[in-house]
Amino acid sequence: MRKTNNNGRRQGGRPQFSEGKRTPFRRAAPNRPARPRRDEEAPFSERASLSSPDRVFQEMENDTDGYKGLGQHHMALDILERARKQKQPADLPTDKLQKALAEAGLGSRRDMETLISKGVVTINGQTAKLGDRVNAEDMIRVEGRLIRRDQASSTPRVLMYHKMAGEIVSRDDPEGRPSVFFHLPRLQGARWVAVGRLDFNTEGLLLFTTSGELANRLMHPRYEIEREYAVRICGELDAEHILKLQQGVELDDGIAKFSKLEDQGGTGQNHWYLVQINEGRNREVRRMFEAVGFTVSRLIRVRYGAVSLPKSLPRGKRMELTPEEVRAWMLDLKDAEKKAAPMAATKAEAKKAEKAAAREKARARARAEAQEEARAERKGGRFKEGRSDRTGVPMWEARDMSDRRTQRHRGNRKA
């Protein structure tokens, strides 16, 4: 056994630390949820079945086909097909696939050609073949394993996250509630930007991106990106309510309406509907149902634009879009913006006038309520609790003091 000196060092070796001393780690944030130990967790298959969207939407299913609000594929396939038919951008140089794999350190080019011919290499989810070319943003996998290359990517990253109820879409919360940002991977030299928000009690699809420009493009009201929600209410809408919600209901910040409203059935007092809106005001869906006299007991976002909540994504988990899917979506957004450009100014002016009219109507309503309150105060406020009449006598209990003597009887004075 080697001896140690008084400083805790081996003679001629590394320092020895006491048994109770541990390596100091960074203290966890106070509102970061504690991660359970691996031996305390349930098996992955069991956890996935307990928190999968199929289990979440089980009460919504009326047949064996499942709830049609969830997408079989997270990205609209027609957008991908249109993007694949177009040529590669000129600013993204391409290389042969076997060269890219060899430069990634997987072997020689001839070995990579043999690997490609076996059909175990995929490019953006498609089986590769000899002669294919790739650019810096293509996603290459060999036997399902992602091949990471050193080329910098100009395509922003986009994440899909299945938000659970009880999470807040904010980095800082004074109440210490769990945040959705705790479930996102760390970035070097960038940050995640939430595309819109979901209420504390709202579930479903939440998108994150590293591009502030893309996030603004997806959130701005003038682009009218479609949002689709599964809504459970207490009761059932009749034809009059459905017509009113589709034609428009008046809210404090303007007229709001559903561009689509489909009955999804239900049992007992709970009834499900699939609705679609083209803007993202604060608590808009809940306020619209409240305007016709119904309370929303559960709200789940199942689609945002071209991205749908996939059935394979459990609650509290994330999935990243491939660079090809992100580029296809951005190309589709650009084409839609070009088509809407001639009418964009007219629609913006109409929306501005509508909001101004809504604000003026809200101010008129507030003035009418203030006048009514003042009128009621003048009518019965003289004997209202906490006030006094002109003599200064307190009337806290609204007592009638008209029959009380105002002067003390002094009696007869002696001469």
Side-chain angles (χ1 to χ4, degrees):
M1 183 173 180
R2 306 181 70 174
K3 296 183 180 180
T4 60
N5 56 17
N6 295 333
N7 294 329
R9 292 179 176 271
R10 285 182 182 177
Q11 296 180 359
R14 296 182 177 179
Q16 297 294 305
F17 298 96
S18 61
E19 184 177 354
K21 195 168 183 178
R22 301 179 62 184
T23 304
F25 290 96
R26 186 182 66 177
R27 181 175 299 177
N31 56 350
R32 182 183 294 273
R35 178 174 295 179
R37 296 177 57 183
R38 184 172 297 275
D39 54 358
E40 296 176 356
E41 295 181 347
F44 176 77
S45 59
E46 182 179 351
R47 297 199 309 271
S49 63
L50 291 176
S51 61
S52 65
D54 288 334
R55 184 69 176 270
V56 175
F57 291 93
Q58 185 175 4
E59 63 268 24
M60 302 167 58
E61 298 176 351
N62 298 322
D63 50 27
T64 57
D65 294 335
Y67 177 64
K68 59 184 178 182
L70 290 176
Q72 297 291 343
H73 195 273
H74 56 271
M75 174 63 70
L77 297 179
D78 56 338
I79 294 178
L80 287 175
E81 291 299 328
R82 287 198 300 269
R84 287 169 180 169
K85 290 179 181 179
Q86 298 188 12
K87 296 181 179 180
Q88 291 283 351
D91 57 341
L92 291 178
T94 61
D95 293 321
K96 289 185 178 181
L97 177 58
Q98 55 268 30
K99 178 182 177 182
L101 292 175
E103 290 177 349
L106 272 70
S108 64
R109 297 190 184 185
R110 181 163 299 182
D111 294 336
M112 296 301 101
E113 292 176 356
T114 305
L115 202 63
I116 295 171
S117 61
K118 292 181 179 179
V120 297
V121 182
T122 60
I123 304 175
N124 299 323
Q126 304 293 325
T127 303
K129 58 184 182 299
L130 290 175
D132 286 346
R133 303 182 68 89
V134 293
N135 56 39
E137 298 179 348
D138 287 327
M139 184 173 290
I140 306 174
R141 294 181 182 271
V142 177
E143 297 181 347
R145 183 170 61 91
L146 179 64
I147 304 302
R148 300 190 179 277
R149 295 175 289 166
D150 295 333
Q151 293 94 334
S153 175
S154 61
T155 301
R157 297 175 62 182
V158 177
L159 280 181
M160 297 183 298
Y161 176 69
H162 192 165
K163 179 185 177 297
M164 301 180 290
E167 292 180 327
I168 187 172
V169 188
S170 176
R171 297 182 183 274
D172 300 317
D173 181 38
E175 301 180 15
R177 292 172 292 183
S179 171
V180 296
F181 287 93
F182 292 153
H183 301 273
L184 306 183
R186 294 185 179 181
L187 296 175
Q188 294 290 339
R191 66 186 183 95
W192 292 113
V193 181
V195 180
R197 291 175 178 267
L198 290 177
D199 295 337
F200 183 70
N201 294 322
T202 303
E203 310 170 46
L205 178 64
L206 186 61
L207 296 179
F208 294 90
T209 179
T210 55
S211 172
E213 182 180 358
L214 177 59
N216 180 71
R217 174 63 179 80
L218 295 173
M219 289 187 294
H220 202 284
R222 72 170 177 266
Y223 298 115
E224 298 183 348
I225 300 296
E226 297 175 350
R227 288 95 158 164
E228 203 165 82
Y229 294 84
V231 188
R232 187 182 71 185
I233 65 173
C234 300
E236 186 175 353
L237 299 175
D238 55 23
E240 181 181 356
H241 295 142
I242 294 176
L243 183 62
K244 189 174 182 180
L245 288 171
Q246 289 179 336
Q247 290 181 348
V249 294
E250 184 177 351
L251 303 178
D252 294 337
D253 51 357
I255 303 296
K257 63 181 179 179
F258 291 132
S259 56
K260 181 175 70 174
L261 196 157
E262 296 181 358
D263 190 343
Q264 298 293 322
T267 57
Q269 292 294 326
N270 296 325
H271 210 86
W272 286 94
Y273 293 91
L274 184 66
V275 301
Q276 178 180 301
I277 57 177
N278 297 337
E279 54 187 355
R281 303 188 215 170
N282 183 31
R283 300 183 72 254
E284 184 174 6
V285 176
R286 296 181 185 271
R287 290 189 293 149
M288 290 178 66
F289 277 97
E290 290 174 359
V292 295
F294 290 88
T295 302
V296 175
S297 59
R298 195 170 183 186
L299 184 60
I300 307 170
R301 184 157 68 190
V302 295
R303 185 169 67 88
Y304 196 107
V307 179
S308 299
L309 180 65
K311 290 185 176 181
S312 58
L313 184 60
R315 287 183 297 174
K317 300 298 181 181
R318 65 179 186 264
M319 179 187 298
E320 184 170 357
L321 300 183
T322 64
E324 182 195 19
E325 292 170 340
V326 176
R327 291 195 302 271
W329 195 12
M330 294 176 65
L331 184 61
D332 181 74
L333 293 172
K334 188 175 181 180
D335 293 341
E337 188 174 352
K338 288 181 179 179
K339 293 179 182 178
M343 298 296 296
T346 304
K347 293 179 69 173
E349 290 296 330
K351 199 68 176 178
K352 185 177 180 180
E354 179 183 341
K355 290 185 177 180
R359 287 194 296 267
E360 182 60 31
K361 188 174 295 185
R363 285 194 290 265
R365 189 184 304 112
R367 288 194 298 266
E369 292 176 356
Q371 292 175 0
E372 183 66 26
E373 184 178 353
R375 191 180 301 111
E377 184 179 356
R378 287 195 302 268
K379 183 177 180 180
R382 182 174 179 178
F383 300 102
K384 192 174 180 181
E385 181 180 358
R387 296 185 181 273
S388 62
D389 59 5
R390 287 177 293 179
T391 63
V393 179
M395 299 290 186
W396 294 294
E397 299 180 359
R399 294 175 296 175
D400 186 5
M401 304 178 66
S402 59
D403 59 343
R404 300 185 62 181
R405 295 180 180 180
T406 58
Q407 294 183 355
R408 184 176 58 182
H409 181 67
R410 299 180 179 179
N412 297 327
R413 293 185 178 180
K414 294 181 180 182

